[in-house]
mmCIF file of all heavy atoms in Angstrom:
data_model
loop_
_atom_site.group_PDB
_atom_site.id
_atom_site.type_symbol
_atom_site.label_atom_id
_atom_site.label_comp_id
_atom_site.label_asym_id
_atom_site.label_seq_id
_atom_site.Cartn_x
_atom_site.Cartn_y
_atom_site.Cartn_z
ATOM 1 N N ASP A 1397 -18.713 133.018 211.022
ATOM 2 C CA ASP A 1397 -17.323 133.463 211.138
ATOM 3 C C ASP A 1397 -16.692 133.519 209.746
ATOM 4 O O ASP A 1397 -16.515 132.487 209.094
ATOM 5 C CB ASP A 1397 -16.550 132.504 212.041
ATOM 6 C CG ASP A 1397 -15.150 133.007 212.365
ATOM 7 O OD1 ASP A 1397 -14.424 133.381 211.422
ATOM 8 O OD2 ASP A 1397 -14.769 133.012 213.550
ATOM 9 N N LEU A 1398 -16.322 134.703 209.289
ATOM 10 C CA LEU A 1398 -15.813 134.876 207.933
ATOM 11 C C LEU A 1398 -14.495 134.140 207.718
ATOM 12 O O LEU A 1398 -14.220 133.657 206.617
ATOM 13 C CB LEU A 1398 -15.631 136.370 207.628
ATOM 14 C CG LEU A 1398 -16.916 137.195 207.552
ATOM 15 C CD1 LEU A 1398 -16.597 138.659 207.284
ATOM 16 C CD2 LEU A 1398 -17.836 136.656 206.461
ATOM 17 N N LYS A 1399 -13.680 134.040 208.748
ATOM 18 C CA LYS A 1399 -12.404 133.335 208.615
ATOM 19 C C LYS A 1399 -12.641 131.861 208.334
ATOM 20 O O LYS A 1399 -11.972 131.257 207.480
ATOM 21 C CB LYS A 1399 -11.567 133.497 209.892
ATOM 22 C CG LYS A 1399 -10.189 132.851 209.807
ATOM 23 C CD LYS A 1399 -9.421 132.992 211.113
ATOM 24 C CE LYS A 1399 -9.079 134.440 211.378
ATOM 25 N NZ LYS A 1399 -8.211 134.579 212.583
ATOM 26 N N ASP A 1400 -13.605 131.254 209.023
ATOM 27 C CA ASP A 1400 -13.916 129.845 208.786
ATOM 28 C C ASP A 1400 -14.535 129.635 207.409
ATOM 29 O O ASP A 1400 -14.238 128.651 206.723
ATOM 30 C CB ASP A 1400 -14.865 129.322 209.873
ATOM 31 C CG ASP A 1400 -14.165 129.166 211.216
ATOM 32 O OD1 ASP A 1400 -12.915 129.131 211.240
ATOM 33 O OD2 ASP A 1400 -14.867 129.081 212.238
ATOM 34 N N ILE A 1401 -15.404 130.553 206.997
ATOM 35 C CA ILE A 1401 -16.015 130.454 205.668
ATOM 36 C C ILE A 1401 -14.936 130.515 204.589
ATOM 37 O O ILE A 1401 -14.916 129.714 203.649
ATOM 38 C CB ILE A 1401 -17.049 131.575 205.459
ATOM 39 C CG1 ILE A 1401 -18.225 131.402 206.419
ATOM 40 C CG2 ILE A 1401 -17.544 131.593 204.011
ATOM 41 C CD1 ILE A 1401 -19.188 132.570 206.432
ATOM 42 N N GLU A 1402 -14.001 131.450 204.721
ATOM 43 C CA GLU A 1402 -12.918 131.586 203.751
ATOM 44 C C GLU A 1402 -12.049 130.335 203.736
ATOM 45 O O GLU A 1402 -11.634 129.864 202.672
ATOM 46 C CB GLU A 1402 -12.061 132.811 204.088
ATOM 47 C CG GLU A 1402 -10.939 133.053 203.104
ATOM 48 C CD GLU A 1402 -10.106 134.274 203.465
ATOM 49 O OE1 GLU A 1402 -10.505 135.024 204.368
ATOM 50 O OE2 GLU A 1402 -9.050 134.454 202.843
ATOM 51 N N SER A 1403 -11.780 129.771 204.912
ATOM 52 C CA SER A 1403 -10.964 128.560 205.008
ATOM 53 C C SER A 1403 -11.613 127.406 204.250
ATOM 54 O O SER A 1403 -10.944 126.664 203.511
ATOM 55 C CB SER A 1403 -10.757 128.177 206.472
ATOM 56 O OG SER A 1403 -10.109 126.924 206.581
ATOM 57 N N VAL A 1404 -12.928 127.240 204.419
ATOM 58 C CA VAL A 1404 -13.644 126.162 203.739
ATOM 59 C C VAL A 1404 -13.689 126.400 202.234
ATOM 60 O O VAL A 1404 -13.470 125.480 201.429
ATOM 61 C CB VAL A 1404 -15.066 126.016 204.318
ATOM 62 C CG1 VAL A 1404 -15.928 125.131 203.418
ATOM 63 C CG2 VAL A 1404 -15.008 125.434 205.725
ATOM 64 N N ARG A 1405 -13.950 127.618 201.828
ATOM 65 C CA ARG A 1405 -14.076 127.907 200.397
ATOM 66 C C ARG A 1405 -12.776 127.686 199.634
ATOM 67 O O ARG A 1405 -12.789 127.421 198.434
ATOM 68 C CB ARG A 1405 -14.583 129.335 200.200
ATOM 69 C CG ARG A 1405 -16.066 129.466 200.543
ATOM 70 C CD ARG A 1405 -16.571 130.876 200.372
ATOM 71 N NE ARG A 1405 -18.006 130.941 200.631
ATOM 72 C CZ ARG A 1405 -18.703 132.066 200.710
ATOM 73 N NH1 ARG A 1405 -18.078 133.237 200.541
ATOM 74 N NH2 ARG A 1405 -19.989 132.037 200.957
ATOM 75 N N LYS A 1406 -11.647 127.788 200.314
ATOM 76 C CA LYS A 1406 -10.372 127.500 199.669
ATOM 77 C C LYS A 1406 -10.227 126.012 199.343
ATOM 78 O O LYS A 1406 -9.442 125.632 198.480
ATOM 79 C CB LYS A 1406 -9.219 127.944 200.564
ATOM 80 C CG LYS A 1406 -9.019 129.453 200.618
ATOM 81 C CD LYS A 1406 -7.861 129.821 201.519
ATOM 82 C CE LYS A 1406 -7.638 131.334 201.540
ATOM 83 N NZ LYS A 1406 -6.528 131.713 202.443
ATOM 84 N N LYS A 1407 -10.982 125.168 200.052
ATOM 85 C CA LYS A 1407 -10.879 123.725 199.873
ATOM 86 C C LYS A 1407 -11.993 123.156 199.004
ATOM 87 O O LYS A 1407 -11.973 121.976 198.673
ATOM 88 C CB LYS A 1407 -10.924 123.028 201.243
ATOM 89 C CG LYS A 1407 -9.831 123.483 202.197
ATOM 90 C CD LYS A 1407 -10.076 122.942 203.596
ATOM 91 C CE LYS A 1407 -9.065 123.499 204.587
ATOM 92 N NZ LYS A 1407 -9.360 123.088 205.979
ATOM 93 N N VAL A 1408 -12.964 123.998 198.667
ATOM 94 C CA VAL A 1408 -14.162 123.527 197.962
ATOM 95 C C VAL A 1408 -14.308 124.259 196.639
ATOM 96 O O VAL A 1408 -14.433 125.485 196.610
ATOM 97 C CB VAL A 1408 -15.426 123.738 198.825
ATOM 98 C CG1 VAL A 1408 -16.660 123.280 198.066
ATOM 99 C CG2 VAL A 1408 -15.302 122.993 200.148
ATOM 100 N N GLY A 1409 -14.286 123.500 195.534
ATOM 101 C CA GLY A 1409 -14.557 124.082 194.223
ATOM 102 C C GLY A 1409 -16.003 123.840 193.842
ATOM 103 O O GLY A 1409 -16.610 122.856 194.265
ATOM 104 N N MET A 1410 -16.566 124.752 193.034
ATOM 105 C CA MET A 1410 -17.972 124.588 192.665
ATOM 106 C C MET A 1410 -18.190 124.929 191.202
ATOM 107 O O MET A 1410 -17.637 125.902 190.677
ATOM 108 C CB MET A 1410 -18.865 125.467 193.535
ATOM 109 C CG MET A 1410 -20.351 125.209 193.303
ATOM 110 S SD MET A 1410 -21.371 125.756 194.684
ATOM 111 C CE MET A 1410 -22.977 125.100 194.171
ATOM 112 N N VAL A 1411 -19.010 124.113 190.545
ATOM 113 C CA VAL A 1411 -19.405 124.317 189.156
ATOM 114 C C VAL A 1411 -20.921 124.447 189.135
ATOM 115 O O VAL A 1411 -21.631 123.586 189.658
ATOM 116 C CB VAL A 1411 -18.943 123.155 188.262
ATOM 117 C CG1 VAL A 1411 -19.422 123.353 186.829
ATOM 118 C CG2 VAL A 1411 -17.413 123.027 188.301
ATOM 119 N N PHE A 1412 -21.416 125.519 188.518
ATOM 120 C CA PHE A 1412 -22.835 125.854 188.554
ATOM 121 C C PHE A 1412 -23.535 125.448 187.254
ATOM 122 O O PHE A 1412 -22.894 125.053 186.285
ATOM 123 C CB PHE A 1412 -23.005 127.362 188.762
ATOM 124 C CG PHE A 1412 -22.410 127.888 190.035
ATOM 125 C CD1 PHE A 1412 -21.074 128.274 190.083
ATOM 126 C CD2 PHE A 1412 -23.177 127.997 191.189
ATOM 127 C CE1 PHE A 1412 -20.521 128.763 191.249
ATOM 128 C CE2 PHE A 1412 -22.629 128.496 192.363
ATOM 129 C CZ PHE A 1412 -21.300 128.868 192.389
ATOM 130 N N GLN A 1413 -24.862 125.597 187.244
ATOM 131 C CA GLN A 1413 -25.633 125.350 186.021
ATOM 132 C C GLN A 1413 -25.165 126.289 184.917
ATOM 133 O O GLN A 1413 -24.892 125.871 183.803
ATOM 134 C CB GLN A 1413 -27.123 125.581 186.273
ATOM 135 C CG GLN A 1413 -27.759 124.639 187.275
ATOM 136 C CD GLN A 1413 -29.226 124.982 187.481
ATOM 137 O OE1 GLN A 1413 -29.926 125.332 186.535
ATOM 138 N NE2 GLN A 1413 -29.698 124.882 188.703
ATOM 139 N N GLN A 1414 -25.128 127.572 185.236
ATOM 140 C CA GLN A 1414 -24.599 128.567 184.298
ATOM 141 C C GLN A 1414 -23.100 128.674 184.539
ATOM 142 O O GLN A 1414 -22.627 128.531 185.655
ATOM 143 C CB GLN A 1414 -25.285 129.923 184.520
ATOM 144 C CG GLN A 1414 -26.798 129.882 184.351
ATOM 145 C CD GLN A 1414 -27.219 129.471 182.948
ATOM 146 O OE1 GLN A 1414 -26.517 129.743 181.976
ATOM 147 N NE2 GLN A 1414 -28.367 128.806 182.832
ATOM 148 N N PHE A 1415 -22.354 128.945 183.509
ATOM 149 C CA PHE A 1415 -20.910 128.758 183.559
ATOM 150 C C PHE A 1415 -20.195 129.817 184.397
ATOM 151 O O PHE A 1415 -19.127 129.579 184.937
ATOM 152 C CB PHE A 1415 -20.357 128.741 182.125
ATOM 153 C CG PHE A 1415 -21.275 128.030 181.169
ATOM 154 C CD1 PHE A 1415 -21.777 128.665 180.051
ATOM 155 C CD2 PHE A 1415 -21.666 126.719 181.424
ATOM 156 C CE1 PHE A 1415 -22.634 128.013 179.184
ATOM 157 C CE2 PHE A 1415 -22.535 126.056 180.554
ATOM 158 C CZ PHE A 1415 -23.020 126.712 179.432
ATOM 159 N N ASN A 1416 -20.794 131.031 184.479
ATOM 160 C CA ASN A 1416 -20.255 132.106 185.321
ATOM 161 C C ASN A 1416 -18.814 132.462 184.971
ATOM 162 O O ASN A 1416 -18.018 132.801 185.848
ATOM 163 C CB ASN A 1416 -20.356 131.734 186.806
ATOM 164 C CG ASN A 1416 -21.777 131.651 187.298
ATOM 165 O OD1 ASN A 1416 -22.696 132.146 186.648
ATOM 166 N ND2 ASN A 1416 -21.994 131.017 188.433
ATOM 167 N N LEU A 1417 -18.471 132.370 183.693
ATOM 168 C CA LEU A 1417 -17.144 132.800 183.256
ATOM 169 C C LEU A 1417 -17.145 134.312 183.021
ATOM 170 O O LEU A 1417 -18.175 134.903 182.716
ATOM 171 C CB LEU A 1417 -16.748 132.079 181.967
ATOM 172 C CG LEU A 1417 -16.707 130.545 182.031
ATOM 173 C CD1 LEU A 1417 -16.408 129.978 180.653
ATOM 174 C CD2 LEU A 1417 -15.687 130.066 183.052
ATOM 175 N N PHE A 1418 -15.976 134.927 183.154
ATOM 176 C CA PHE A 1418 -15.855 136.352 182.868
ATOM 177 C C PHE A 1418 -15.738 136.540 181.352
ATOM 178 O O PHE A 1418 -14.759 136.111 180.742
ATOM 179 C CB PHE A 1418 -14.636 136.942 183.561
ATOM 180 C CG PHE A 1418 -14.733 136.937 185.057
ATOM 181 C CD1 PHE A 1418 -13.983 136.046 185.811
ATOM 182 C CD2 PHE A 1418 -15.585 137.816 185.718
ATOM 183 C CE1 PHE A 1418 -14.075 136.028 187.193
ATOM 184 C CE2 PHE A 1418 -15.681 137.813 187.104
ATOM 185 C CZ PHE A 1418 -14.927 136.915 187.842
ATOM 186 N N PRO A 1419 -16.734 137.172 180.720
ATOM 187 C CA PRO A 1419 -16.754 137.236 179.253
ATOM 188 C C PRO A 1419 -15.627 138.075 178.659
ATOM 189 O O PRO A 1419 -15.258 137.875 177.502
ATOM 190 C CB PRO A 1419 -18.129 137.854 178.947
ATOM 191 C CG PRO A 1419 -18.490 138.610 180.180
ATOM 192 C CD PRO A 1419 -17.907 137.830 181.320
ATOM 193 N N HIS A 1420 -15.076 139.010 179.439
ATOM 194 C CA HIS A 1420 -14.036 139.901 178.914
ATOM 195 C C HIS A 1420 -12.638 139.310 179.080
ATOM 196 O O HIS A 1420 -11.654 139.931 178.660
ATOM 197 C CB HIS A 1420 -14.106 141.255 179.632
ATOM 198 C CG HIS A 1420 -13.836 141.180 181.105
ATOM 199 N ND1 HIS A 1420 -14.714 140.591 181.981
ATOM 200 C CD2 HIS A 1420 -12.773 141.610 181.846
ATOM 201 C CE1 HIS A 1420 -14.230 140.668 183.205
ATOM 202 N NE2 HIS A 1420 -13.051 141.274 183.153
ATOM 203 N N LEU A 1421 -12.538 138.108 179.683
ATOM 204 C CA LEU A 1421 -11.257 137.439 179.872
ATOM 205 C C LEU A 1421 -11.175 136.201 178.986
ATOM 206 O O LEU A 1421 -12.185 135.552 178.732
ATOM 207 C CB LEU A 1421 -11.065 137.028 181.328
ATOM 208 C CG LEU A 1421 -11.081 138.136 182.386
ATOM 209 C CD1 LEU A 1421 -10.891 137.535 183.769
ATOM 210 C CD2 LEU A 1421 -10.006 139.182 182.104
ATOM 211 N N THR A 1422 -9.978 135.883 178.534
ATOM 212 C CA THR A 1422 -9.794 134.658 177.759
ATOM 213 C C THR A 1422 -9.974 133.442 178.663
ATOM 214 O O THR A 1422 -10.033 133.555 179.890
ATOM 215 C CB THR A 1422 -8.391 134.607 177.134
ATOM 216 O OG1 THR A 1422 -7.424 134.493 178.192
ATOM 217 C CG2 THR A 1422 -8.113 135.829 176.279
ATOM 218 N N VAL A 1423 -10.054 132.266 178.043
ATOM 219 C CA VAL A 1423 -10.138 131.019 178.805
ATOM 220 C C VAL A 1423 -8.979 130.927 179.786
ATOM 221 O O VAL A 1423 -9.161 130.638 180.976
ATOM 222 C CB VAL A 1423 -10.141 129.815 177.838
ATOM 223 C CG1 VAL A 1423 -9.869 128.513 178.582
ATOM 224 C CG2 VAL A 1423 -11.457 129.741 177.088
ATOM 225 N N LEU A 1424 -7.762 131.176 179.301
ATOM 226 C CA LEU A 1424 -6.579 131.089 180.162
ATOM 227 C C LEU A 1424 -6.664 132.084 181.306
ATOM 228 O O LEU A 1424 -6.358 131.752 182.465
ATOM 229 C CB LEU A 1424 -5.320 131.348 179.330
ATOM 230 C CG LEU A 1424 -3.979 131.066 180.022
ATOM 231 C CD1 LEU A 1424 -3.829 129.577 180.311
ATOM 232 C CD2 LEU A 1424 -2.824 131.560 179.147
ATOM 233 N N GLN A 1425 -7.099 133.289 181.027
ATOM 234 C CA GLN A 1425 -7.204 134.311 182.078
ATOM 235 C C GLN A 1425 -8.277 133.952 183.094
ATOM 236 O O GLN A 1425 -8.111 134.205 184.299
ATOM 237 C CB GLN A 1425 -7.501 135.673 181.442
ATOM 238 C CG GLN A 1425 -6.331 136.240 180.654
ATOM 239 C CD GLN A 1425 -6.722 137.447 179.815
ATOM 240 O OE1 GLN A 1425 -7.903 137.618 179.454
ATOM 241 N NE2 GLN A 1425 -5.755 138.298 179.504
ATOM 242 N N ASN A 1426 -9.394 133.367 182.640
ATOM 243 C CA ASN A 1426 -10.432 132.928 183.574
ATOM 244 C C ASN A 1426 -9.885 131.902 184.562
ATOM 245 O O ASN A 1426 -10.210 131.947 185.754
ATOM 246 C CB ASN A 1426 -11.603 132.315 182.798
ATOM 247 C CG ASN A 1426 -12.720 133.296 182.518
ATOM 248 O OD1 ASN A 1426 -13.553 133.557 183.379
ATOM 249 N ND2 ASN A 1426 -12.716 133.858 181.314
ATOM 250 N N ILE A 1427 -9.058 130.989 184.084
ATOM 251 C CA ILE A 1427 -8.553 129.910 184.933
ATOM 252 C C ILE A 1427 -7.448 130.385 185.859
ATOM 253 O O ILE A 1427 -7.344 129.934 187.004
ATOM 254 C CB ILE A 1427 -8.073 128.734 184.056
ATOM 255 C CG1 ILE A 1427 -9.253 128.146 183.283
ATOM 256 C CG2 ILE A 1427 -7.407 127.649 184.902
ATOM 257 C CD1 ILE A 1427 -8.855 127.127 182.240
ATOM 258 N N THR A 1428 -6.606 131.317 185.394
ATOM 259 C CA THR A 1428 -5.457 131.745 186.203
ATOM 260 C C THR A 1428 -5.795 132.843 187.200
ATOM 261 O O THR A 1428 -4.998 133.133 188.100
ATOM 262 C CB THR A 1428 -4.311 132.244 185.299
ATOM 263 O OG1 THR A 1428 -4.782 133.328 184.481
ATOM 264 C CG2 THR A 1428 -3.798 131.111 184.407
ATOM 265 N N LEU A 1429 -6.964 133.423 187.090
ATOM 266 C CA LEU A 1429 -7.318 134.549 187.959
ATOM 267 C C LEU A 1429 -7.249 134.168 189.438
ATOM 268 O O LEU A 1429 -6.623 134.869 190.251
ATOM 269 C CB LEU A 1429 -8.723 135.044 187.602
ATOM 270 C CG LEU A 1429 -9.142 136.400 188.165
ATOM 271 C CD1 LEU A 1429 -8.291 137.508 187.569
ATOM 272 C CD2 LEU A 1429 -10.618 136.662 187.859
ATOM 273 N N GLY A 1430 -7.886 133.050 189.800
ATOM 274 C CA GLY A 1430 -7.897 132.616 191.199
ATOM 275 C C GLY A 1430 -6.521 132.256 191.725
ATOM 276 O O GLY A 1430 -6.115 132.734 192.795
ATOM 277 N N PRO A 1431 -5.787 131.376 191.031
ATOM 278 C CA PRO A 1431 -4.449 131.025 191.515
ATOM 279 C C PRO A 1431 -3.536 132.228 191.712
ATOM 280 O O PRO A 1431 -2.747 132.269 192.654
ATOM 281 C CB PRO A 1431 -3.928 130.090 190.409
ATOM 282 C CG PRO A 1431 -5.146 129.465 189.841
ATOM 283 C CD PRO A 1431 -6.190 130.539 189.882
ATOM 284 N N ILE A 1432 -3.623 133.233 190.820
ATOM 285 C CA ILE A 1432 -2.742 134.402 190.930
ATOM 286 C C ILE A 1432 -3.168 135.314 192.083
ATOM 287 O O ILE A 1432 -2.355 135.704 192.922
ATOM 288 C CB ILE A 1432 -2.714 135.184 189.598
ATOM 289 C CG1 ILE A 1432 -1.998 134.362 188.522
ATOM 290 C CG2 ILE A 1432 -2.031 136.542 189.781
ATOM 291 C CD1 ILE A 1432 -2.094 134.955 187.122
ATOM 292 N N TRP A 1433 -4.476 135.619 192.153
ATOM 293 C CA TRP A 1433 -4.917 136.634 193.101
ATOM 294 C C TRP A 1433 -5.309 136.073 194.462
ATOM 295 O O TRP A 1433 -5.211 136.774 195.475
ATOM 296 C CB TRP A 1433 -6.083 137.431 192.512
ATOM 297 C CG TRP A 1433 -5.661 138.270 191.355
ATOM 298 C CD1 TRP A 1433 -5.844 137.999 190.029
ATOM 299 C CD2 TRP A 1433 -4.942 139.501 191.407
ATOM 300 N NE1 TRP A 1433 -5.293 138.984 189.245
ATOM 301 C CE2 TRP A 1433 -4.730 139.932 190.072
ATOM 302 C CE3 TRP A 1433 -4.462 140.294 192.450
ATOM 303 C CZ2 TRP A 1433 -4.061 141.113 189.757
ATOM 304 C CZ3 TRP A 1433 -3.787 141.478 192.139
ATOM 305 C CH2 TRP A 1433 -3.592 141.868 190.811
ATOM 306 N N VAL A 1434 -5.747 134.833 194.504
ATOM 307 C CA VAL A 1434 -6.151 134.241 195.782
ATOM 308 C C VAL A 1434 -5.042 133.378 196.365
ATOM 309 O O VAL A 1434 -4.695 133.503 197.549
ATOM 310 C CB VAL A 1434 -7.445 133.408 195.618
ATOM 311 C CG1 VAL A 1434 -7.830 132.761 196.949
ATOM 312 C CG2 VAL A 1434 -8.585 134.276 195.103
ATOM 313 N N SER A 1435 -4.459 132.504 195.532
ATOM 314 C CA SER A 1435 -3.419 131.586 196.018
ATOM 315 C C SER A 1435 -2.017 132.167 195.913
ATOM 316 O O SER A 1435 -1.056 131.513 196.317
ATOM 317 C CB SER A 1435 -3.488 130.264 195.237
ATOM 318 O OG SER A 1435 -4.752 129.661 195.391
ATOM 319 N N GLN A 1436 -1.920 133.373 195.364
ATOM 320 C CA GLN A 1436 -0.632 134.083 195.280
ATOM 321 C C GLN A 1436 0.424 133.317 194.487
ATOM 322 O O GLN A 1436 1.614 133.353 194.806
ATOM 323 C CB GLN A 1436 -0.101 134.387 196.699
ATOM 324 C CG GLN A 1436 -1.047 135.179 197.573
ATOM 325 C CD GLN A 1436 -1.352 136.560 196.994
ATOM 326 O OE1 GLN A 1436 -0.446 137.316 196.670
ATOM 327 N NE2 GLN A 1436 -2.632 136.875 196.855
ATOM 328 N N LYS A 1437 0.008 132.590 193.463
ATOM 329 C CA LYS A 1437 0.967 131.915 192.597
ATOM 330 C C LYS A 1437 1.480 132.894 191.545
ATOM 331 O O LYS A 1437 0.762 133.823 191.147
ATOM 332 C CB LYS A 1437 0.317 130.706 191.912
ATOM 333 C CG LYS A 1437 -0.067 129.596 192.883
ATOM 334 C CD LYS A 1437 -0.534 128.356 192.157
ATOM 335 C CE LYS A 1437 -0.952 127.262 193.138
ATOM 336 N NZ LYS A 1437 0.178 126.809 193.971
ATOM 337 N N ASN A 1438 2.728 132.692 191.108
ATOM 338 C CA ASN A 1438 3.233 133.569 190.059
ATOM 339 C C ASN A 1438 2.561 133.217 188.736
ATOM 340 O O ASN A 1438 1.996 132.137 188.564
ATOM 341 C CB ASN A 1438 4.764 133.493 189.959
ATOM 342 C CG ASN A 1438 5.271 132.128 189.563
ATOM 343 O OD1 ASN A 1438 4.879 131.582 188.527
ATOM 344 N ND2 ASN A 1438 6.148 131.553 190.376
ATOM 345 N N ARG A 1439 2.640 134.135 187.806
ATOM 346 C CA ARG A 1439 1.898 133.999 186.552
ATOM 347 C C ARG A 1439 2.328 132.761 185.764
ATOM 348 O O ARG A 1439 1.501 132.050 185.191
ATOM 349 C CB ARG A 1439 2.079 135.263 185.708
ATOM 350 C CG ARG A 1439 1.131 135.365 184.524
ATOM 351 C CD ARG A 1439 1.229 136.743 183.899
ATOM 352 N NE ARG A 1439 0.924 137.783 184.856
ATOM 353 C CZ ARG A 1439 -0.312 138.208 185.155
ATOM 354 N NH1 ARG A 1439 -1.347 137.651 184.541
ATOM 355 N NH2 ARG A 1439 -0.507 139.160 186.035
ATOM 356 N N GLU A 1440 3.626 132.480 185.759
ATOM 357 C CA GLU A 1440 4.117 131.331 185.007
ATOM 358 C C GLU A 1440 3.565 130.026 185.575
ATOM 359 O O GLU A 1440 3.114 129.149 184.825
ATOM 360 C CB GLU A 1440 5.646 131.290 185.045
ATOM 361 C CG GLU A 1440 6.244 130.109 184.310
ATOM 362 C CD GLU A 1440 7.756 130.028 184.474
ATOM 363 O OE1 GLU A 1440 8.334 130.967 185.049
ATOM 364 O OE2 GLU A 1440 8.332 129.019 184.041
#
């Protein structure tokens, strides 16, 4: 069930062996991407 999977993934953070950062984004942009686009937080 995709709804249940999405619900769980919102509560679970994961750090991998490889860093999986977006190379074309700054450190700040890498960190704020999820809160802005997934959690709908304002940029500030």
Side-chain angles (χ1 to χ4, degrees):
D1397 188 310
L1398 293 178
K1399 183 182 293 186
D1400 288 342
I1401 295 171
E1402 182 180 351
S1403 173
V1404 167
R1405 286 179 177 172
K1406 286 180 178 179
K1407 302 170 185 175
V1408 178
M1410 187 159 187
V1411 177
F1412 300 87
Q1413 296 178 39
Q1414 301 298 329
F1415 322 122
N1416 293 344
L1417 301 175
F1418 294 107
H1420 63 290
L1421 300 179
T1422 67
V1423 165
L1424 190 66
Q1425 290 169 336
N1426 265 279
I1427 296 171
T1428 58
L1429 194 66
I1432 291 172
W1433 292 101
V1434 178
S1435 301
Q1436 304 298 308
K1437 294 187 182 297
N1438 63 56
R1439 192 170 302 275
E1440 179 185 353

